[in-house]
Amino acid sequence: MIIYLLLRMGSFHHIFMKMIYSSLNIGLFITAALMLASCSPAPSGGQNITYPSDEQITAALDAQLASDPNSAAARELIQTLGGEKGKLRYSIHQVIYRESAYEVHYDAVLVMGQPGEQSLQALYARMIPEEERAKLPDTALATYSEWLKNHAETLQKSPDQKAQGQALGNTLAALGECYGGVKPGAEVVVMKGLGAQLLPERKGLYAEKLAMPNAVVRCLPI
């Protein structure tokens, strides 16, 4: 009987020890999990990042366009196509935080301040050499358009200027699709896939243009 009781006690002791080891293992597992959690990087939402508003981004991009000497031709082209009341708007798709700076992905949209036919007339007048333009019977859009189409066909007949003629013909076709029948107040996407880096500075944000691999020029003469 005594032997039986000792065996039973040994069995209980064995079970009891297994329970202790199991508890210790669970405790160690929980402790390790807590340690790993404390070492894991905090989610971006916990960094208290303040992103610039669309208005702030637009102001920085406008300032860059206005101050960049290399953008003088672009500013003049925007005024020609958009008119005096035309303006450039930025369609912002993504803002990425990069170590105290912001990378902005956007499209450039021209808000028309005049009818599209008027824009094409003014642009085509600039594309025709002055001495050739003086020979034309009038300044109508159809007259300018006809001269440029004939010029493109003439260039394509020359092996050395064939590529230039094809480019001019393609440009005329694209511009006609972009601005033909467009009313004042309408929006025309002129460039897609643009990018800029915004850096904090004393007066706000300073924009630096980025070379984007997928940038596409639309509705602008190339």
Side-chain angles (χ1 to χ4, degrees), residues 98-156:
R98 296 195 185 280
E99 298 182 1
S100 301
Y102 304 93
E103 181 177 313
V104 182
H105 299 171
Y106 63 97
D107 297 337
V109 181
L110 180 61
V111 182
M112 299 294 293
Q114 63 188 13
E117 286 78 7
Q118 186 176 342
S119 300
L120 291 176
Q121 182 184 18
L123 178 62
Y124 289 175
R126 293 177 52 187
M127 295 172 64
I128 300 174
E130 184 176 356
E131 60 274 15
E132 295 295 332
R133 193 170 66 248
K135 300 175 184 178
L136 297 176
D138 54 59
T139 60
L141 171 61
T143 302
Y144 289 161
S145 179
E146 185 67 21
W147 189 95
L148 288 170
K149 288 179 181 179
N150 292 336
H151 183 59
E153 292 174 358
T154 301
L155 292 175
Q156 292 183 52

Side-chain angles (χ1 to χ4, degrees), residues 90-105:
Y90 305 102
S91 177
I92 300 164
H93 300 299
Q94 191 175 27
V95 182
I96 305 170
Y97 178 76
R98 296 195 185 280
E99 298 182 1
S100 301
Y102 304 93
E103 181 177 313
V104 182
H105 299 171

Side-chain angles (χ1 to χ4, degrees), residues 153-165:
E153 292 174 358
T154 301
L155 292 175
Q156 292 183 52
K157 294 177 182 179
S158 171
D160 296 337
Q161 298 177 310
K162 184 177 181 179
Q164 182 181 353

Side-chain angles (χ1 to χ4, degrees), residues 2 9 16 19-20 32 54 64 71-72 77 82 90 115 117 119 131 134 169 171 174 187-188 194 209:
I2 294 174
M9 290 177 64
F16 180 69
M19 292 174 63
I20 292 175
D54 287 2
Q64 192 279 334
S71 299
L77 183 59
Y90 305 102
E117 286 78 7
S119 300
E131 60 274 15
T171 296
E187 296 188 347
V188 178
L194 300 177
K209 293 294 181 67

